[in-house]
Amino acid sequence: ICAGASGGVFFVLNGVAHSSDKARRHWLTLAALLAGGGTWATHFVAMLGYDPGLPVGYDLGLTLLSAGACVAGAWGALTLYDRVPGARGQIGGGALLGLAIIVMHYIGMASVQASARQVWALDLVVASWLLSAAFSILALWAFTHAPARLRLCIAAACLAVAIVSLHFTGMGALTLVFDPRVAGPAHALDTQTLAVTVALVTAAALLAAMVMALADRRVAATELAAAKQAAAMALHDALTGLYNRRHLH
């Protein structure tokens, strides 16, 4: 999920440079959906394997809020990167993207419900954001400056590391201390429901990416064919098909 979404983000951003303003907004929105949704799906699939030795559930409202916050933050980060040229856009966009990832993670962790208190190591919390921001900045820098043949792979790899490093550092910052006074997951989102939710969101994001990418390619191919036809008609006689005077000049 993480690798596919990270690659999809920069595949989609590849179509931004030569797009109209309207199409540009569509591409940025799709890239934000992939970045935010892919990060969220990666986090919660990993959480399915989290076993603190206590029954664990997830609050549905906070779970959805974490997804929305990540998508919104990713949209702001990618829009900033697109509109602000040079290093300022790369650093600002990367830092904001890292912040979006970390906000998603810690809202998601707040949704964890168990008969325990959450104790956080603040140094690891800060480290998790620094890692996420640093690798997000590196991803945008690589997408801008790396060789054309390699930039998608390098940028996607950096974004994947930003997501994974944040997750595992953030998980290391948390200790659950058993406390019978804290209510357990009576009505929280269970792991089976969580698995279905993650699968649906991930499938929807990938389907949206495929539909928009294929539609854009079809439109681009049609426009290119029409332009070639118009150029050929301008240089050839309509009746004979032979080159006209414009071609000879």
Side-chain angles (χ1 to χ4, degrees), residues 34-57:
L34 288 172
T39 301
W40 179 83
T42 299
H43 169 80
F44 279 101
V45 167
M47 288 303 298
L48 291 177
Y50 176 57
D51 183 11
L54 297 168
V56 173

Side-chain angles (χ1 to χ4, degrees), residues 229-246:
Q229 183 179 8
M233 291 175 64
L235 298 176
H236 292 77
D237 183 81
L239 295 177
T240 65
L242 299 176
Y243 289 123
N244 57 25
R245 292 183 179 180
R246 183 177 298 178

Side-chain angles (χ1 to χ4, degrees), residues 165-242:
S165 63
L166 170 280
H167 177 80
F168 287 105
T169 307
M171 290 302 297
L174 172 64
T175 301
L176 288 180
V177 179
F178 175 69
D179 188 342
R181 296 171 298 176
V182 179
H187 302 290
L189 187 68
D190 62 24
T191 55
Q192 289 185 344
T193 305
L194 179 60
V196 173
T197 302
V198 170
L200 290 175
V201 170
T202 304
L206 292 176
L207 180 61
M210 290 177 61
V211 169
M212 290 188 70
L214 290 174
D216 183 78
R217 288 180 180 180
R218 185 171 182 178
V219 170
T222 301
E223 292 177 347
L224 180 60
K228 288 182 177 180
Q229 183 179 8
M233 291 175 64
L235 298 176
H236 292 77
D237 183 81
L239 295 177
T240 65
L242 299 176

Side-chain angles (χ1 to χ4, degrees), residues 9 19 27 30 36 39 48 93 104 144 193 196 203 206 208:
V9 169
S19 301
W27 282 119
L30 179 56
T39 301
L48 291 177
M104 179 282 306
T144 305
T193 305
V196 173
L206 292 176

Side-chain angles (χ1 to χ4, degrees), residues 33-102:
L33 285 170
L34 288 172
T39 301
W40 179 83
T42 299
H43 169 80
F44 279 101
V45 167
M47 288 303 298
L48 291 177
Y50 176 57
D51 183 11
L54 297 168
V56 173
Y58 301 89
D59 180 84
L60 178 58
L62 288 176
T63 299
L64 297 178
L65 177 62
S66 68
C70 196
V71 171
W75 181 85
L78 296 178
T79 300
L80 177 63
Y81 166 72
D82 179 60
R83 293 184 179 179
V84 179
R88 289 188 305 159
Q90 296 158 30
I91 295 173
L96 184 55
L97 183 56
L99 180 61
I101 296 171
I102 198 169

Side-chain angles (χ1 to χ4, degrees), residues 62-146:
L62 288 176
T63 299
L64 297 178
L65 177 62
S66 68
C70 196
V71 171
W75 181 85
L78 296 178
T79 300
L80 177 63
Y81 166 72
D82 179 60
R83 293 184 179 179
V84 179
R88 289 188 305 159
Q90 296 158 30
I91 295 173
L96 184 55
L97 183 56
L99 180 61
I101 296 171
I102 198 169
V103 166
M104 179 282 306
H105 177 86
Y106 289 107
I107 292 178
M109 293 309 299
S111 76
V112 174
Q113 294 188 341
S115 296
R117 291 181 290 108
Q118 294 187 356
V119 180
W120 294 96
L122 293 181
D123 55 340
L124 291 179
V125 172
V126 173
S128 67
W129 179 76
L130 292 176
L131 285 169
S132 182
F135 281 106
S136 295
I137 292 170
L138 186 59
L140 295 182
W141 180 90
F143 183 69
T144 305
H145 298 288

